[in-house]
């Protein structure tokens, strides 16, 4: 779609941003409340967005699809200059930073899946033996019972 030169600098209403980005108006308001996007107010106190917001919303949607928390997305977007459309180079830099986080989450999920394989067909849900019931129970190496709440047990 070609934008007429006269249209190029016209700011967009929230409805236009919603229609073009495929994101609900309420979601755009939410993004704005979280500091992910910004608008200006016209004389009638209505929100107006510069066109660069469309690319920011696209980045937010793709990042959310990969499970990046909104706080991390906001932090990453805050590194971009306001008022400039995020470029392909910006996107490469942001997505490279998120790839490491995605790889880490994938590896944790693979570990959980492997532990679940142990549980399938077992059903013990044992605090001592089940890796999913009590995955990081380092205190169990000190003995049974509430190790942090029972000082007597510690003295034994
Ligand atoms: S249910 Fe038995 S090991 Fe998890």
């Amino acid at each position: 779609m070609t934008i007429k030169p006269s249209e190029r600098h016209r700011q967009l209403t929230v409805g236009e941003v919603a229609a073009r980005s495929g994101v609900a108006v309420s979601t755009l308001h939410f993004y704005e409340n979280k500091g992910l996007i910004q608008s200006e107010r016209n004389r009638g106190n209505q929100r107006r967005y510069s066109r660069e917001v469309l690319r920011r919303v696209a980045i937010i949607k793709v990042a959310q699809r990969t499970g990046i928390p909104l706080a991390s997305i906001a932090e990453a977007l805050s590194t971009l200059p306001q008022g400039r459309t995020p470029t392909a180079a910006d996107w490469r830099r942001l997505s490279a930073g998120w790839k490491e986080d995605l790889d880490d989450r994938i590896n944790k999920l693979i570990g959980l899946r492997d532990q679940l394989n142990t549980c399938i067909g077992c059903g013990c849900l044992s605090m001592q033996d089940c890796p999913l019931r009590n995955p990081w129970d380092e205190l169990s190496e000190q003995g049974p019972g509430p190790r942090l709440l029972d000082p007597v047990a510690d003295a034994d």
Side-chain angles (χ1 to χ4, degrees):
M1 185 173 111
T2 307
I3 300 171
K4 294 179 192 169
S6 60
E7 284 281 295
R8 205 161 276 150
H9 299 292
R10 186 178 68 79
Q11 292 190 310
L12 303 172
T13 66
V14 69
E16 288 171 325
V17 175
R20 288 174 179 227
S21 65
V23 172
V25 168
S26 59
T27 303
L28 293 170
H29 291 169
F30 176 74
Y31 288 165
E32 193 167 344
N33 284 338
K34 294 291 180 186
L36 293 156
I37 60 174
Q38 290 183 342
S39 67
E40 295 173 3
R41 297 283 179 157
N42 68 6
R43 287 189 188 140
N45 199 32
Q46 295 167 319
R47 289 179 167 91
R48 290 294 181 264
Y49 297 87
S50 59
R51 289 179 181 278
E52 58 97 17
V53 78
L54 294 171
R55 198 152 164 103
R56 283 182 183 257
V57 171
I59 288 173
I60 295 165
K61 294 305 296 175
V62 171
Q64 279 191 300
R65 186 168 285 166
T66 61
I68 304 296
L70 273 183
S72 299
I73 299 170
E75 191 180 319
L77 288 177
S78 73
T79 66
L80 301 178
Q82 277 299 325
R84 172 169 72 66
T85 302
T87 63
D90 291 330
W91 170 241
R92 278 195 296 274
R93 181 175 60 80
L94 297 182
S95 56
W98 289 327
K99 182 182 179 303
E100 194 174 316
D101 179 64
L102 187 57
D103 286 342
D104 185 50
R105 281 184 287 125
I106 287 170
N107 288 332
K108 283 184 179 149
L109 283 172
I110 289 171
L112 280 172
R113 183 201 58 196
D114 292 347
Q115 289 175 334
L116 188 60
N117 281 340
T118 308
C119 296
I120 292 172
C122 174
C124 73
L125 290 173
S126 163
M127 286 292 283
Q128 284 184 334
D129 299 328
C130 178
L132 290 179
R133 177 84 197 278
N134 198 10
W136 297 286
D137 186 14
E138 295 166 359
L139 291 176
S140 67
E141 293 168 9
Q142 298 172 15
R147 307 307 299 172
L148 297 178
L149 298 177
D150 188 0
V152 176
D154 290 342
D156 291 343

